[in-house]
């Protein structure tokens, strides 16, 4: 079995959990998510400086079917007054924004601006005039 296959399999078994109440313990969360099946690993994300939980984490299950069951049965379930956001940890259009936010929060890839590189306000008129004619017209 090759490494990329193992990595993809692990991704499919992993679940993103968001909107976690800040007053809930890791043990309580583990108990809640073991309702779907046995957990291989569980990780809450904490702020580096304060050490406080950020309100989201990741769970790895033994198999894809259990991870899918977790998403199906625990997404939007109210827990301590908050609806949990549960979805695949990687892939899928629903989680692209979550992945980008996590990458930025963890110091990873920076999201590219659709407006181009930042420009000093004093240089803005010149930068605008350099934009090509075709970029200003929609086709």
């Amino acid at each position: 079995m090759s490494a990329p296959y193992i990595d993809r399999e692990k991704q499919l078994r992993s679940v993103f959990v968001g909107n976690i109440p800040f007053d809930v313990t890791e043990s309580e969360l583990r108990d809640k998510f073991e309702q779907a099946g046995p957990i291989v690993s569980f990780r809450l994300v904490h702020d580096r400086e304060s050490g406080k939980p950020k309100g989201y984490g990741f769970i790895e299950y033994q198999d894809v079917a259990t991870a899918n069951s977790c998403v199906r049965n625990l997404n939007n379930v109210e827990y301590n007054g908050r609806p949990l956001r549960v979805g695949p940890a990687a892939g899928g259009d629903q989680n692209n924004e979550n992945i980008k936010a996590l990458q930025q929060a963890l110091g990873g890839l920076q999201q590219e601006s659709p407006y181009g590189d930042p420009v000093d306000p004093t240089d803005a008129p010149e930068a605008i005039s350099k934009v090509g004619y075709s970029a200003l017209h929609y086709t």
Side-chain angles (χ1 to χ4, degrees), residues 14-84:
S14 298
V15 175
F16 169 84
V17 181
N19 204 28
I20 297 172
F22 295 107
D23 59 341
V24 175
T25 68
E26 192 166 325
S27 176
E28 291 170 327
L29 284 170
R30 186 177 273 278
D31 290 344
K32 178 71 174 172
F33 284 94
E34 281 183 335
Q35 292 176 3
I39 293 174
V40 172
S41 67
F42 182 83
R43 181 175 68 94
L44 284 177
V45 178
H46 292 82
D47 183 85
R48 287 183 191 177
E49 293 176 18
S50 70
K52 294 181 180 181
K54 287 189 151 192
Y56 63 89
F58 299 91
I59 301 168
E60 180 186 348
Y61 286 101
Q62 291 180 345
D63 55 55
V64 176
T66 304
N68 289 338
S69 174
C70 175
V71 171
R72 207 174 32 253
N73 295 307
L74 295 173
N75 187 38
N76 287 323
V77 169
E78 190 170 312
Y79 190 64
N80 282 22
R82 296 178 77 168
L84 294 171

Side-chain angles (χ1 to χ4, degrees), residues 118-130:
V119 175
D120 185 273
T122 58
D123 297 331
E126 184 178 338
I128 291 169
S129 68
K130 289 181 180 178

